Amino acid sequence: MSLHTTKIAPSPMAFVPFVSVDHMMQLVHRIGVRPMLRGLAEYIEEDFKRWALFDKVPRVASHSQAGVIELMPTSDGEVYGFKYVNGHPANTKGGLQTVTAFGLLSNVATGYPALLSEMTLLTALRTAATSAMVARALAPETDTMAVIGNGAQSEFQSLAMAELCGIKKLRLYDIDRAASEKLARNLSETGLEVTICAAPEEAVEGAGILTTCTADKQYATILTDNMVGAGVHVNAIGGDCPGKTELHPDILERGDVFVEYTPQTRIEGEIQQKADDFPVTEMWEVLAGARPGRTSARQITIFDGVGFAVEDFSALRYVRDQLEGTGLGLPLDMLADPDDPRDLFGMLMRAKA
Ligand code: NAD
């Protein structure tokens, strides 16, 4: 199926396919984690290259002391999609995920939902695919990446960078060594060379890509200016909320900053620490060849990644296309479907036991 095909045939049935966590895991294993990361990156890149078609709005966020709950909608005119996602950094202490999500695709022509899916796993996959798609376009040639913050996102980030950017060596740092040990264990059969470091300064040594994926609801300084050498690519994805950043603001002055959708990143990204006119380049411009990416070996490139609705749309589109013929996707009875569309009440009354 062409990557450009976004139309969804109206379903004759009122059932909506639902991809549960179990079915998502089965789908990932059928495809393979690394091929799926590559496939997702292809779909995301396709959609970034047709950026102008999409409805774009910063995500709608509901903040609390504990975290944030967000809705992320978009449409390409034929298909509409949204994701519900939360970010609660203290959740892991109580045995809960920091990030959980689900999402939906629907048909613009009828407004009928066409796919409902878990997106906790899918978000980790699409975030990693986006990071690697960006790094493929901007990073220097390197086989080494530092990963600071070794939680739920970190294996996905590592494998996507291995698959798309040729990373072979990982240098890990987390304030909780158990998280780094978990990451090392999970990647032990991948062929990647993994070193657990005692300090973030040690983790960045010799790395051409510096990934920060920490979770803390504060202006944190995961990377200080002296840790970022000439020519590196910074993949900063953990700061994705007002009041939550990872980079010392001086780093942003030394490099060129690349973002997904500027209005959202000015609210949520590293550049919230800067004035509203701080210069940035949107990644779709680089991928479409409209603006340059890396221009010299000594240039520092910074991906200020916060996660944008188009990436979720692409990910759901990918899942929808891969589901065909697999038998995966549970039929969900979520649409009332009276024989006479105007007789909703009659349908209700006929259901009385
Ligand atoms: P997680 O809670 O599973 O892991 C975070 C890790 O960071 C933990 O192991 C923690 O010990 C470590 N950490 C916290 N402070 C640190 C510090 N100062 N130095 C080193 N390590 C530190 O969270 P996760 O699901 O992996 O998500 C990580 C971050 O990425 C979150 O902030 C989340 O909101 C964000 N995120 C962004 C996107 C995006 O599209 N940009 C998508 C998903 C998640």
Side-chain angles (χ1 to χ4, degrees), residues 87 89 92 98-99 123 126-127 148-154 173-176 179 213-216 220 222 236-240 244 260 305-308 311:
T92 49
T98 297
V99 176
T123 293
R126 77 82 159 121
T127 303
I148 302 180
N150 301 156
Q153 308 300 318
S154 60
Y173 174 73
D174 195 293
I175 45 171
D176 180 357
C213 49
T214 63
D216 207 348
I222 306 303
I237 64 136
D240 58 355
K244 180 167 167 248
E260 291 138 315
V306 293
F308 187 55
E311 294 147 34

PDB file of all heavy atoms in Angstrom, residues 87 89 92 98-99 123 126-127 148-154 173-176 179 213-216 220 222 236-240 244 260 305-308 311, ligand 1:
ATOM      1  N   GLY A  87       1.682  12.736  31.292  1.00  0.00           N
ATOM      2  CA  GLY A  87       3.080  12.726  31.712  1.00  0.00           C
ATOM      3  C   GLY A  87       3.114  12.991  33.210  1.00  0.00           C
ATOM      4  O   GLY A  87       2.801  14.094  33.657  1.00  0.00           O
ATOM      5  N   PRO A  89       5.757  12.368  36.151  1.00  0.00           N
ATOM      6  CA  PRO A  89       7.098  11.881  36.514  1.00  0.00           C
ATOM      7  C   PRO A  89       7.147  11.076  37.811  1.00  0.00           C
ATOM      8  O   PRO A  89       8.010  10.206  37.952  1.00  0.00           O
ATOM      9  CB  PRO A  89       7.913  13.168  36.638  1.00  0.00           C
ATOM     10  CG  PRO A  89       7.211  14.163  35.784  1.00  0.00           C
ATOM     11  CD  PRO A  89       5.758  13.827  35.885  1.00  0.00           C
ATOM     12  N   THR A  92       6.272   6.454  38.503  1.00  0.00           N
ATOM     13  CA  THR A  92       7.060   5.216  38.574  1.00  0.00           C
ATOM     14  C   THR A  92       7.300   4.787  40.030  1.00  0.00           C
ATOM     15  O   THR A  92       7.406   3.594  40.306  1.00  0.00           O
ATOM     16  CB  THR A  92       8.416   5.351  37.846  1.00  0.00           C
ATOM     17  OG1 THR A  92       9.037   6.549  38.280  1.00  0.00           O
ATOM     18  CG2 THR A  92       8.241   5.386  36.337  1.00  0.00           C
ATOM     19  N   THR A  98       5.218   6.645  33.626  1.00  0.00           N
ATOM     20  CA  THR A  98       5.212   8.108  33.534  1.00  0.00           C
ATOM     21  C   THR A  98       4.267   8.546  32.416  1.00  0.00           C
ATOM     22  O   THR A  98       3.500   9.498  32.552  1.00  0.00           O
ATOM     23  CB  THR A  98       6.642   8.627  33.230  1.00  0.00           C
ATOM     24  OG1 THR A  98       7.478   8.283  34.330  1.00  0.00           O
ATOM     25  CG2 THR A  98       6.662  10.135  33.031  1.00  0.00           C
ATOM     26  N   VAL A  99       4.340   7.813  31.277  1.00  0.00           N
ATOM     27  CA  VAL A  99       3.556   8.170  30.084  1.00  0.00           C
ATOM     28  C   VAL A  99       2.643   7.004  29.709  1.00  0.00           C
ATOM     29  O   VAL A  99       3.110   5.867  29.585  1.00  0.00           O
ATOM     30  CB  VAL A  99       4.508   8.465  28.888  1.00  0.00           C
ATOM     31  CG1 VAL A  99       3.723   8.738  27.618  1.00  0.00           C
ATOM     32  CG2 VAL A  99       5.426   9.630  29.212  1.00  0.00           C
ATOM     33  N   THR A 123       3.681   5.220  21.393  1.00  0.00           N
ATOM     34  CA  THR A 123       4.330   6.518  21.604  1.00  0.00           C
ATOM     35  C   THR A 123       5.840   6.345  21.766  1.00  0.00           C
ATOM     36  O   THR A 123       6.628   7.110  21.196  1.00  0.00           O
ATOM     37  CB  THR A 123       3.741   7.234  22.843  1.00  0.00           C
ATOM     38  OG1 THR A 123       2.385   7.580  22.558  1.00  0.00           O
ATOM     39  CG2 THR A 123       4.512   8.501  23.189  1.00  0.00           C
ATOM     40  N   ARG A 126       7.115   5.638  18.282  1.00  0.00           N
ATOM     41  CA  ARG A 126       7.100   6.786  17.351  1.00  0.00           C
ATOM     42  C   ARG A 126       8.037   7.893  17.793  1.00  0.00           C
ATOM     43  O   ARG A 126       8.617   8.601  16.973  1.00  0.00           O
ATOM     44  CB  ARG A 126       5.684   7.282  17.086  1.00  0.00           C
ATOM     45  CG  ARG A 126       5.011   8.149  18.186  1.00  0.00           C
ATOM     46  CD  ARG A 126       5.444   9.614  18.108  1.00  0.00           C
ATOM     47  NE  ARG A 126       4.539  10.534  18.742  1.00  0.00           N
ATOM     48  CZ  ARG A 126       4.860  11.352  19.749  1.00  0.00           C
ATOM     49  NH1 ARG A 126       6.071  11.334  20.292  1.00  0.00           N
ATOM     50  NH2 ARG A 126       3.960  12.186  20.223  1.00  0.00           N
ATOM     51  N   THR A 127       8.226   8.042  19.120  1.00  0.00           N
ATOM     52  CA  THR A 127       9.161   9.062  19.606  1.00  0.00           C
ATOM     53  C   THR A 127      10.580   8.687  19.191  1.00  0.00           C
ATOM     54  O   THR A 127      11.350   9.531  18.712  1.00  0.00           O
ATOM     55  CB  THR A 127       9.065   9.191  21.146  1.00  0.00           C
ATOM     56  OG1 THR A 127       7.712   9.494  21.486  1.00  0.00           O
ATOM     57  CG2 THR A 127       9.982  10.270  21.674  1.00  0.00           C
ATOM     58  N   ILE A 148      21.166   9.692  28.450  1.00  0.00           N
ATOM     59  CA  ILE A 148      21.029  10.178  29.831  1.00  0.00           C
ATOM     60  C   ILE A 148      19.552  10.161  30.182  1.00  0.00           C
ATOM     61  O   ILE A 148      18.737  10.823  29.529  1.00  0.00           O
ATOM     62  CB  ILE A 148      21.641  11.582  29.979  1.00  0.00           C
ATOM     63  CG1 ILE A 148      23.120  11.511  29.560  1.00  0.00           C
ATOM     64  CG2 ILE A 148      21.496  12.078  31.416  1.00  0.00           C
ATOM     65  CD1 ILE A 148      23.858  12.815  29.646  1.00  0.00           C
ATOM     66  N   GLY A 149      19.207   9.353  31.194  1.00  0.00           N
ATOM     67  CA  GLY A 149      17.809   9.027  31.486  1.00  0.00           C
ATOM     68  C   GLY A 149      17.525   7.674  30.858  1.00  0.00           C
ATOM     69  O   GLY A 149      17.423   7.546  29.637  1.00  0.00           O
ATOM     70  N   ASN A 150      17.476   6.631  31.688  1.00  0.00           N
ATOM     71  CA  ASN A 150      17.412   5.259  31.167  1.00  0.00           C
ATOM     72  C   ASN A 150      16.084   4.586  31.527  1.00  0.00           C
ATOM     73  O   ASN A 150      16.043   3.412  31.891  1.00  0.00           O
ATOM     74  CB  ASN A 150      18.615   4.446  31.673  1.00  0.00           C
ATOM     75  CG  ASN A 150      19.951   5.056  31.271  1.00  0.00           C
ATOM     76  OD1 ASN A 150      20.960   4.829  31.914  1.00  0.00           O
ATOM     77  ND2 ASN A 150      19.974   5.847  30.202  1.00  0.00           N
ATOM     78  N   GLY A 151      14.992   5.347  31.401  1.00  0.00           N
ATOM     79  CA  GLY A 151      13.669   4.831  31.733  1.00  0.00           C
ATOM     80  C   GLY A 151      12.972   4.198  30.543  1.00  0.00           C
ATOM     81  O   GLY A 151      13.615   3.632  29.637  1.00  0.00           O
ATOM     82  N   ALA A 152      11.651   4.304  30.521  1.00  0.00           N
ATOM     83  CA  ALA A 152      10.826   3.575  29.556  1.00  0.00           C
ATOM     84  C   ALA A 152      11.160   3.886  28.091  1.00  0.00           C
ATOM     85  O   ALA A 152      11.082   3.015  27.229  1.00  0.00           O
ATOM     86  CB  ALA A 152       9.348   3.870  29.826  1.00  0.00           C
ATOM     87  N   GLN A 153      11.537   5.120  27.802  1.00  0.00           N
ATOM     88  CA  GLN A 153      11.792   5.477  26.395  1.00  0.00           C
ATOM     89  C   GLN A 153      13.158   4.981  25.907  1.00  0.00           C
ATOM     90  O   GLN A 153      13.394   4.914  24.695  1.00  0.00           O
ATOM     91  CB  GLN A 153      11.760   7.010  26.203  1.00  0.00           C
ATOM     92  CG  GLN A 153      10.528   7.709  26.744  1.00  0.00           C
ATOM     93  CD  GLN A 153       9.242   7.234  26.112  1.00  0.00           C
ATOM     94  OE1 GLN A 153       9.161   7.019  24.895  1.00  0.00           O
ATOM     95  NE2 GLN A 153       8.221   7.016  26.921  1.00  0.00           N
ATOM     96  N   SER A 154      14.078   4.702  26.815  1.00  0.00           N
ATOM     97  CA  SER A 154      15.496   4.637  26.445  1.00  0.00           C
ATOM     98  C   SER A 154      15.876   3.476  25.524  1.00  0.00           C
ATOM     99  O   SER A 154      16.689   3.655  24.617  1.00  0.00           O
ATOM    100  CB  SER A 154      16.353   4.612  27.714  1.00  0.00           C
ATOM    101  OG  SER A 154      16.047   3.487  28.507  1.00  0.00           O
ATOM    102  N   TYR A 173      23.776   6.907  31.381  1.00  0.00           N
ATOM    103  CA  TYR A 173      23.801   7.495  32.723  1.00  0.00           C
ATOM    104  C   TYR A 173      22.368   7.738  33.186  1.00  0.00           C
ATOM    105  O   TYR A 173      21.532   8.222  32.428  1.00  0.00           O
ATOM    106  CB  TYR A 173      24.579   8.818  32.785  1.00  0.00           C
ATOM    107  CG  TYR A 173      24.426   9.431  34.158  1.00  0.00           C
ATOM    108  CD1 TYR A 173      25.084   8.887  35.263  1.00  0.00           C
ATOM    109  CD2 TYR A 173      23.559  10.502  34.372  1.00  0.00           C
ATOM    110  CE1 TYR A 173      24.890   9.392  36.544  1.00  0.00           C
ATOM    111  CE2 TYR A 173      23.369  11.016  35.659  1.00  0.00           C
ATOM    112  CZ  TYR A 173      24.038  10.448  36.734  1.00  0.00           C
ATOM    113  OH  TYR A 173      23.837  10.939  38.000  1.00  0.00           O
ATOM    114  N   ASP A 174      22.114   7.365  34.442  1.00  0.00           N
ATOM    115  CA  ASP A 174      20.837   7.666  35.095  1.00  0.00           C
ATOM    116  C   ASP A 174      21.143   7.900  36.571  1.00  0.00           C
ATOM    117  O   ASP A 174      22.046   7.255  37.124  1.00  0.00           O
ATOM    118  CB  ASP A 174      19.862   6.476  34.942  1.00  0.00           C
ATOM    119  CG  ASP A 174      18.411   6.853  35.258  1.00  0.00           C
ATOM    120  OD1 ASP A 174      18.122   7.155  36.445  1.00  0.00           O
ATOM    121  OD2 ASP A 174      17.575   6.833  34.343  1.00  0.00           O
ATOM    122  N   ILE A 175      20.385   8.794  37.210  1.00  0.00           N
ATOM    123  CA  ILE A 175      20.599   9.010  38.650  1.00  0.00           C
ATOM    124  C   ILE A 175      20.303   7.730  39.429  1.00  0.00           C
ATOM    125  O   ILE A 175      20.787   7.546  40.536  1.00  0.00           O
ATOM    126  CB  ILE A 175      19.741  10.184  39.209  1.00  0.00           C
ATOM    127  CG1 ILE A 175      18.308  10.105  38.684  1.00  0.00           C
ATOM    128  CG2 ILE A 175      20.376  11.536  38.911  1.00  0.00           C
ATOM    129  CD1 ILE A 175      17.361  11.080  39.344  1.00  0.00           C
ATOM    130  N   ASP A 176      19.503   6.860  38.837  1.00  0.00           N
ATOM    131  CA  ASP A 176      19.201   5.566  39.459  1.00  0.00           C
ATOM    132  C   ASP A 176      19.918   4.480  38.645  1.00  0.00           C
ATOM    133  O   ASP A 176      19.499   4.147  37.540  1.00  0.00           O
ATOM    134  CB  ASP A 176      17.677   5.348  39.429  1.00  0.00           C
ATOM    135  CG  ASP A 176      17.283   4.031  40.063  1.00  0.00           C
ATOM    136  OD1 ASP A 176      18.185   3.269  40.477  1.00  0.00           O
ATOM    137  OD2 ASP A 176      16.072   3.763  40.107  1.00  0.00           O
ATOM    138  N   ALA A 179      18.161   1.722  36.752  1.00  0.00           N
ATOM    139  CA  ALA A 179      17.561   1.987  35.438  1.00  0.00           C
ATOM    140  C   ALA A 179      18.568   1.690  34.328  1.00  0.00           C
ATOM    141  O   ALA A 179      18.227   1.081  33.302  1.00  0.00           O
ATOM    142  CB  ALA A 179      17.081   3.438  35.359  1.00  0.00           C
ATOM    143  N   CYS A 213      16.684  11.841  27.903  1.00  0.00           N
ATOM    144  CA  CYS A 213      15.275  11.442  28.058  1.00  0.00           C
ATOM    145  C   CYS A 213      15.002  11.178  29.540  1.00  0.00           C
ATOM    146  O   CYS A 213      14.687  10.074  29.951  1.00  0.00           O
ATOM    147  CB  CYS A 213      14.892  10.273  27.165  1.00  0.00           C
ATOM    148  SG  CYS A 213      15.961   8.851  27.154  1.00  0.00           S
ATOM    149  N   THR A 214      15.164  12.261  30.316  1.00  0.00           N
ATOM    150  CA  THR A 214      14.890  12.198  31.753  1.00  0.00           C
ATOM    151  C   THR A 214      13.466  12.696  32.012  1.00  0.00           C
ATOM    152  O   THR A 214      12.872  13.336  31.151  1.00  0.00           O
ATOM    153  CB  THR A 214      15.888  13.079  32.530  1.00  0.00           C
ATOM    154  OG1 THR A 214      15.694  14.438  32.137  1.00  0.00           O
ATOM    155  CG2 THR A 214      17.322  12.673  32.258  1.00  0.00           C
ATOM    156  N   ALA A 215      12.955  12.393  33.184  1.00  0.00           N
ATOM    157  CA  ALA A 215      11.607  12.849  33.541  1.00  0.00           C
ATOM    158  C   ALA A 215      11.660  13.541  34.889  1.00  0.00           C
ATOM    159  O   ALA A 215      11.980  12.917  35.888  1.00  0.00           O
ATOM    160  CB  ALA A 215      10.652  11.659  33.603  1.00  0.00           C
ATOM    161  N   ASP A 216      11.395  14.822  34.889  1.00  0.00           N
ATOM    162  CA  ASP A 216      11.377  15.592  36.133  1.00  0.00           C
ATOM    163  C   ASP A 216      10.600  16.857  35.827  1.00  0.00           C
ATOM    164  O   ASP A 216      10.870  17.501  34.812  1.00  0.00           O
ATOM    165  CB  ASP A 216      12.821  15.948  36.539  1.00  0.00           C
ATOM    166  CG  ASP A 216      12.923  16.127  38.043  1.00  0.00           C
ATOM    167  OD1 ASP A 216      11.876  16.202  38.698  1.00  0.00           O
ATOM    168  OD2 ASP A 216      14.067  16.194  38.539  1.00  0.00           O
ATOM    169  N   ALA A 220      15.447  21.393  34.732  1.00  0.00           N
ATOM    170  CA  ALA A 220      16.621  20.610  35.111  1.00  0.00           C
ATOM    171  C   ALA A 220      17.781  20.980  34.184  1.00  0.00           C
ATOM    172  O   ALA A 220      17.571  21.519  33.097  1.00  0.00           O
ATOM    173  CB  ALA A 220      16.305  19.133  34.996  1.00  0.00           C
ATOM    174  N   ILE A 222      20.358  18.809  32.658  1.00  0.00           N
ATOM    175  CA  ILE A 222      20.922  17.473  32.430  1.00  0.00           C
ATOM    176  C   ILE A 222      22.237  17.611  31.674  1.00  0.00           C
ATOM    177  O   ILE A 222      23.202  16.916  31.949  1.00  0.00           O
ATOM    178  CB  ILE A 222      19.917  16.604  31.634  1.00  0.00           C
ATOM    179  CG1 ILE A 222      18.544  16.564  32.327  1.00  0.00           C
ATOM    180  CG2 ILE A 222      20.478  15.201  31.403  1.00  0.00           C
ATOM    181  CD1 ILE A 222      18.547  16.074  33.755  1.00  0.00           C
ATOM    182  N   ALA A 236      17.225  16.035  22.463  1.00  0.00           N
ATOM    183  CA  ALA A 236      16.650  16.334  23.789  1.00  0.00           C
ATOM    184  C   ALA A 236      15.144  16.116  23.739  1.00  0.00           C
ATOM    185  O   ALA A 236      14.413  16.925  23.175  1.00  0.00           O
ATOM    186  CB  ALA A 236      16.971  17.773  24.171  1.00  0.00           C
ATOM    187  N   ILE A 237      14.701  15.002  24.315  1.00  0.00           N
ATOM    188  CA  ILE A 237      13.260  14.693  24.192  1.00  0.00           C
ATOM    189  C   ILE A 237      12.527  14.673  25.527  1.00  0.00           C
ATOM    190  O   ILE A 237      11.310  14.554  25.564  1.00  0.00           O
ATOM    191  CB  ILE A 237      13.026  13.343  23.474  1.00  0.00           C
ATOM    192  CG1 ILE A 237      13.603  12.174  24.288  1.00  0.00           C
ATOM    193  CG2 ILE A 237      13.565  13.358  22.055  1.00  0.00           C
ATOM    194  CD1 ILE A 237      12.668  11.000  24.345  1.00  0.00           C
ATOM    195  N   GLY A 238      13.253  14.809  26.641  1.00  0.00           N
ATOM    196  CA  GLY A 238      12.594  14.678  27.948  1.00  0.00           C
ATOM    197  C   GLY A 238      11.885  15.945  28.412  1.00  0.00           C
ATOM    198  O   GLY A 238      10.917  15.876  29.156  1.00  0.00           O
ATOM    199  N   GLY A 239      12.346  17.106  27.969  1.00  0.00           N
ATOM    200  CA  GLY A 239      11.689  18.362  28.344  1.00  0.00           C
ATOM    201  C   GLY A 239      10.545  18.612  27.378  1.00  0.00           C
ATOM    202  O   GLY A 239      10.775  18.934  26.218  1.00  0.00           O
ATOM    203  N   ASP A 240       9.321  18.398  27.843  1.00  0.00           N
ATOM    204  CA  ASP A 240       8.205  18.454  26.890  1.00  0.00           C
ATOM    205  C   ASP A 240       6.973  19.086  27.530  1.00  0.00           C
ATOM    206  O   ASP A 240       5.845  18.752  27.195  1.00  0.00           O
ATOM    207  CB  ASP A 240       7.891  17.045  26.346  1.00  0.00           C
ATOM    208  CG  ASP A 240       7.560  16.062  27.448  1.00  0.00           C
ATOM    209  OD1 ASP A 240       7.657  16.410  28.628  1.00  0.00           O
ATOM    210  OD2 ASP A 240       7.184  14.912  27.115  1.00  0.00           O
ATOM    211  N   LYS A 244       9.545  22.397  32.347  1.00  0.00           N
ATOM    212  CA  LYS A 244      10.265  21.109  32.359  1.00  0.00           C
ATOM    213  C   LYS A 244      11.254  21.097  31.198  1.00  0.00           C
ATOM    214  O   LYS A 244      10.859  20.957  30.041  1.00  0.00           O
ATOM    215  CB  LYS A 244       9.226  19.989  32.190  1.00  0.00           C
ATOM    216  CG  LYS A 244       9.740  18.573  32.183  1.00  0.00           C
ATOM    217  CD  LYS A 244       8.549  17.616  32.346  1.00  0.00           C
ATOM    218  CE  LYS A 244       8.871  16.175  32.050  1.00  0.00           C
ATOM    219  NZ  LYS A 244       8.197  15.687  30.844  1.00  0.00           N
ATOM    220  N   GLU A 260       9.736  20.480  15.925  1.00  0.00           N
ATOM    221  CA  GLU A 260       8.649  19.896  15.138  1.00  0.00           C
ATOM    222  C   GLU A 260       7.713  21.022  14.692  1.00  0.00           C
ATOM    223  O   GLU A 260       7.715  21.416  13.543  1.00  0.00           O
ATOM    224  CB  GLU A 260       7.932  18.838  15.987  1.00  0.00           C
ATOM    225  CG  GLU A 260       8.800  17.610  16.245  1.00  0.00           C
ATOM    226  CD  GLU A 260       8.710  17.104  17.678  1.00  0.00           C
ATOM    227  OE1 GLU A 260       8.761  17.914  18.627  1.00  0.00           O
ATOM    228  OE2 GLU A 260       8.586  15.858  17.864  1.00  0.00           O
ATOM    229  N   GLY A 305      12.919  18.096  20.849  1.00  0.00           N
ATOM    230  CA  GLY A 305      11.754  17.254  20.520  1.00  0.00           C
ATOM    231  C   GLY A 305      10.739  17.232  21.654  1.00  0.00           C
ATOM    232  O   GLY A 305      11.073  16.898  22.787  1.00  0.00           O
ATOM    233  N   VAL A 306       9.510  17.602  21.336  1.00  0.00           N
ATOM    234  CA  VAL A 306       8.451  17.545  22.362  1.00  0.00           C
ATOM    235  C   VAL A 306       7.362  16.536  21.998  1.00  0.00           C
ATOM    236  O   VAL A 306       6.544  16.175  22.840  1.00  0.00           O
ATOM    237  CB  VAL A 306       7.807  18.941  22.605  1.00  0.00           C
ATOM    238  CG1 VAL A 306       8.811  19.889  23.229  1.00  0.00           C
ATOM    239  CG2 VAL A 306       7.230  19.537  21.323  1.00  0.00           C
ATOM    240  N   GLY A 307       7.373  16.066  20.734  1.00  0.00           N
ATOM    241  CA  GLY A 307       6.325  15.142  20.279  1.00  0.00           C
ATOM    242  C   GLY A 307       5.156  15.921  19.724  1.00  0.00           C
ATOM    243  O   GLY A 307       4.553  16.721  20.438  1.00  0.00           O
ATOM    244  N   PHE A 308       4.842  15.706  18.434  1.00  0.00           N
ATOM    245  CA  PHE A 308       3.758  16.469  17.804  1.00  0.00           C
ATOM    246  C   PHE A 308       2.705  15.522  17.219  1.00  0.00           C
ATOM    247  O   PHE A 308       3.002  14.399  16.828  1.00  0.00           O
ATOM    248  CB  PHE A 308       4.326  17.404  16.723  1.00  0.00           C
ATOM    249  CG  PHE A 308       3.276  18.320  16.163  1.00  0.00           C
ATOM    250  CD1 PHE A 308       2.529  19.139  17.005  1.00  0.00           C
ATOM    251  CD2 PHE A 308       3.012  18.334  14.805  1.00  0.00           C
ATOM    252  CE1 PHE A 308       1.531  19.962  16.495  1.00  0.00           C
ATOM    253  CE2 PHE A 308       2.015  19.163  14.291  1.00  0.00           C
ATOM    254  CZ  PHE A 308       1.267  19.974  15.134  1.00  0.00           C
ATOM    255  N   GLU A 311       3.105  13.089  14.261  1.00  0.00           N
ATOM    256  CA  GLU A 311       3.835  11.822  14.470  1.00  0.00           C
ATOM    257  C   GLU A 311       2.892  10.714  14.943  1.00  0.00           C
ATOM    258  O   GLU A 311       3.039   9.553  14.553  1.00  0.00           O
ATOM    259  CB  GLU A 311       4.949  12.028  15.512  1.00  0.00           C
ATOM    260  CG  GLU A 311       6.035  12.968  15.025  1.00  0.00           C
ATOM    261  CD  GLU A 311       6.650  13.785  16.158  1.00  0.00           C
ATOM    262  OE1 GLU A 311       6.771  13.294  17.289  1.00  0.00           O
ATOM    263  OE2 GLU A 311       7.012  14.948  15.889  1.00  0.00           O
TER     264      GLU A 311
HETATM  265  P1  NAD B   1      10.736   7.308  32.955  1.00  0.00           P
HETATM  266  O1  NAD B   1      10.199   7.912  34.198  1.00  0.00           O
HETATM  267  O2  NAD B   1      10.430   5.879  32.626  1.00  0.00           O
HETATM  268  O3  NAD B   1      12.328   7.465  32.912  1.00  0.00           O
HETATM  269  C1  NAD B   1      13.001   8.657  33.229  1.00  0.00           C
HETATM  270  C2  NAD B   1      14.382   8.324  33.762  1.00  0.00           C
HETATM  271  O4  NAD B   1      15.085   9.562  33.965  1.00  0.00           O
HETATM  272  C3  NAD B   1      14.351   7.606  35.126  1.00  0.00           C
HETATM  273  O5  NAD B   1      15.075   6.410  35.045  1.00  0.00           O
HETATM  274  C4  NAD B   1      15.014   8.631  36.075  1.00  0.00           C
HETATM  275  O6  NAD B   1      15.754   8.013  37.096  1.00  0.00           O
HETATM  276  C5  NAD B   1      15.900   9.399  35.116  1.00  0.00           C
HETATM  277  N1  NAD B   1      16.295  10.734  35.571  1.00  0.00           N
HETATM  278  C6  NAD B   1      15.538  11.671  36.189  1.00  0.00           C
HETATM  279  N2  NAD B   1      16.293  12.772  36.462  1.00  0.00           N
HETATM  280  C7  NAD B   1      17.547  12.492  35.997  1.00  0.00           C
HETATM  281  C8  NAD B   1      18.750  13.218  35.967  1.00  0.00           C
HETATM  282  N3  NAD B   1      18.853  14.447  36.503  1.00  0.00           N
HETATM  283  N4  NAD B   1      19.844  12.652  35.381  1.00  0.00           N
HETATM  284  C9  NAD B   1      19.772  11.396  34.861  1.00  0.00           C
HETATM  285  N5  NAD B   1      18.638  10.645  34.873  1.00  0.00           N
HETATM  286  C10 NAD B   1      17.540  11.198  35.419  1.00  0.00           C
HETATM  287  O7  NAD B   1      10.240   8.272  31.763  1.00  0.00           O
HETATM  288  P2  NAD B   1      10.139   7.948  30.204  1.00  0.00           P
HETATM  289  O8  NAD B   1       8.835   7.341  29.860  1.00  0.00           O
HETATM  290  O9  NAD B   1      11.401   7.271  29.751  1.00  0.00           O
HETATM  291  O10 NAD B   1      10.109   9.433  29.628  1.00  0.00           O
HETATM  292  C11 NAD B   1      11.241  10.265  29.742  1.00  0.00           C
HETATM  293  C12 NAD B   1      10.849  11.675  29.376  1.00  0.00           C
HETATM  294  O11 NAD B   1      10.538  11.723  27.987  1.00  0.00           O
HETATM  295  C13 NAD B   1       9.593  12.162  30.111  1.00  0.00           C
HETATM  296  O12 NAD B   1       9.826  13.486  30.544  1.00  0.00           O
HETATM  297  C14 NAD B   1       8.509  12.129  29.056  1.00  0.00           C
HETATM  298  O13 NAD B   1       7.515  13.107  29.283  1.00  0.00           O
HETATM  299  C15 NAD B   1       9.327  12.428  27.808  1.00  0.00           C
HETATM  300  N6  NAD B   1       8.726  11.971  26.562  1.00  0.00           N
HETATM  301  C16 NAD B   1       8.875  12.779  25.485  1.00  0.00           C
HETATM  302  C17 NAD B   1       8.339  12.389  24.270  1.00  0.00           C
HETATM  303  C18 NAD B   1       8.526  13.267  23.073  1.00  0.00           C
HETATM  304  O14 NAD B   1       7.886  13.035  22.055  1.00  0.00           O
HETATM  305  N7  NAD B   1       9.407  14.237  23.126  1.00  0.00           N
HETATM  306  C19 NAD B   1       7.621  11.174  24.176  1.00  0.00           C
HETATM  307  C20 NAD B   1       7.539  10.354  25.287  1.00  0.00           C
HETATM  308  C21 NAD B   1       8.101  10.757  26.491  1.00  0.00           C
END
